[in-house]
Amino acid sequence: MQVDEFKLKGEYRAQLSTRVRSDNLELQATAAHQVETSVGKVEAALQSKLAKTQELAQGLEQALAAVNHELAGLSRSQQRLSNMASHLRQKAGINKSRQQVRCDRPAREQTCDEVTRTLMKQQDILGSLLDRLQHGLMLVTADMDKLNSCRQQLTRDLKDKAAALKVDELVLGVKQDPSTTTAATTIMKSGADVARSAAAGASKASSSGKYSHNWEQQTSTLVQEAHHLAAGAGRLRKAIKQLLQEAQDSIHAIAHQLDASMATKLQATELLKEELNVQLNKVQDEHSRAAYQRDQLAQELTGKNGSATTARSPLQHPRCSSSRRNSR
């Protein structure tokens, strides 16, 4: 009886050991399958993340190129505005000098003629253009500051995207070593629930295309803002170009008008001068003839006065003549 009982216990233990080994192998196979499934889901999520990150990086590169292009254009516009402002200041200085020089004219010539009015008009136009150019410079400087700030943010974000791509590619490149399958399977048992949770989250993110954090939204917003700033800078450059053209046309127009008025004034003054010379010559001739006639009349009057004096001499002493005759 004891021998049979002992045999029964041995057979039971053998069966139990076999069952435990079978259950253990089944558990290992299940865990390995779950891990493989989880790894596949994680790889799919990484692939999706890599694709989205690359898409965002391309968007950042395009936005950065647009910002750099507009910055270069605004820099050229800023230089042109500065050059035009310097040119206008020079013109304003010439205008002021001309007005000061014209103030040295004789008092009878101090009149508000067409040249004076044109000089004053030119002064007003130059002042107005300078104010508009200064305002344009202020707008260009403000937009350049915004674009520079945006460029820094784009550069930092693009650098982060490049680092994230490198890390995700390294993670995606990590493969399981078959020689360590048994040990890894044992270790993965305790982390099976964590792996399943991570895989579930990755699968949800991959299927929906959305992530729990706002890295995608921040980059998209930054790219939109960059394109918005670039579009605004493009419109500003067009406005600056139009302003510079208007300034150039105004300068030429008022300069031509001033030259025409000064030429007309010089011609009119020259004609008046010639007319005055003619009139002066006539007056001088009349003066010479009048002086000659005056001298002639004076001589005739002197002669006549002498004759009259001689004729009056006997009549002035009649009694003296009678006395002389009586004494005889």
Side-chain angles (χ1 to χ4, degrees), residues 264-277:
T264 303
K265 177 69 175 180
L266 287 173
Q267 184 179 5
T269 303
E270 189 66 29
L271 291 175
L272 288 174
K273 180 181 177 182
E274 293 177 0
E275 181 65 23
L276 287 173
N277 284 329

Side-chain angles (χ1 to χ4, degrees), residues 69-319:
H69 176 74
E70 291 303 328
L71 272 173
L74 285 179
S75 179
R76 292 191 296 269
S77 297
Q78 187 181 44
Q79 185 63 41
R80 291 169 184 168
L81 284 172
S82 299
N83 293 339
M84 180 59 73
S86 178
H87 181 63
L88 289 181
R89 292 190 190 96
Q90 182 181 4
K91 291 290 185 181
I94 295 174
N95 177 277
K96 184 177 180 180
S97 298
R98 283 176 169 176
Q99 293 193 54
Q100 290 177 348
V101 169
R102 295 201 88 228
C103 290
D104 295 335
R105 291 177 299 167
R108 76 172 64 248
E109 298 295 329
Q110 295 289 344
T111 59
C112 185
D113 53 10
E114 185 62 26
V115 176
T116 301
R117 287 191 292 271
T118 306
L119 283 172
M120 295 176 65
K121 180 180 178 181
Q122 185 186 42
Q123 181 182 10
D124 294 338
I125 291 175
L126 292 175
S128 176
L129 288 175
L130 274 172
D131 291 340
R132 293 176 64 188
L133 290 177
Q134 291 296 335
H135 183 66
L137 276 171
M138 181 183 67
L139 293 178
V140 168
T141 302
D143 271 24
M144 289 184 68
D145 291 341
K146 293 178 182 178
L147 286 173
N148 278 320
S149 177
C150 184
R151 180 171 64 177
Q152 293 176 0
Q153 296 181 48
L154 289 171
T155 303
R156 287 195 298 266
D157 199 347
L158 189 59
K159 184 178 179 180
D160 291 342
K161 291 294 182 293
L165 282 172
K166 185 176 181 181
V167 171
D168 287 343
E169 288 172 352
L170 290 174
V171 172
L172 188 62
V174 174
K175 299 297 182 181
Q176 183 177 345
D177 188 356
S179 63
T180 60
T181 301
T182 303
T185 302
T186 303
I187 295 173
M188 289 177 183
K189 289 179 183 179
S190 61
D193 293 337
V194 177
R196 283 193 295 269
S197 177
S203 176
K204 181 179 179 181
S206 176
S207 62
S208 64
K210 298 181 180 179
Y211 297 89
S212 59
H213 38 75
N214 58 356
W215 66 276
E216 179 184 355
Q217 183 63 35
Q218 288 178 349
T219 300
S220 299
T221 301
L222 180 58
V223 169
Q224 291 177 0
E225 181 182 359
H227 285 295
H228 177 72
L229 289 175
R235 290 191 294 270
L236 178 60
R237 285 195 300 113
K238 290 181 180 179
I240 294 300
K241 183 178 180 181
Q242 183 178 359
L243 173 60
L244 290 172
Q245 187 62 45
E246 289 178 2
Q248 192 71 23
D249 294 341
S250 298
I251 291 173
H252 288 165
I254 192 63
H256 178 73
Q257 184 178 354
L258 180 60
D259 291 342
S261 63
M262 291 182 67
T264 303
K265 177 69 175 180
L266 287 173
Q267 184 179 5
T269 303
E270 189 66 29
L271 291 175
L272 288 174
K273 180 181 177 182
E274 293 177 0
E275 181 65 23
L276 287 173
N277 284 329
V278 172
Q279 295 297 330
L280 180 61
N281 291 332
K282 289 181 179 181
V283 170
Q284 288 176 346
D285 291 341
E286 292 294 335
H287 180 269
S288 298
R289 286 194 295 270
Y292 176 77
Q293 290 177 0
R294 183 190 61 188
D295 293 340
Q296 292 295 323
L297 290 173
Q299 291 178 2
E300 291 179 3
L301 182 61
T302 301
K304 291 184 179 296
N305 288 336
S307 300
T309 302
T310 303
R312 285 197 302 267
S313 294
L315 297 176
Q316 289 177 352
H317 307 285
R319 294 180 180 179

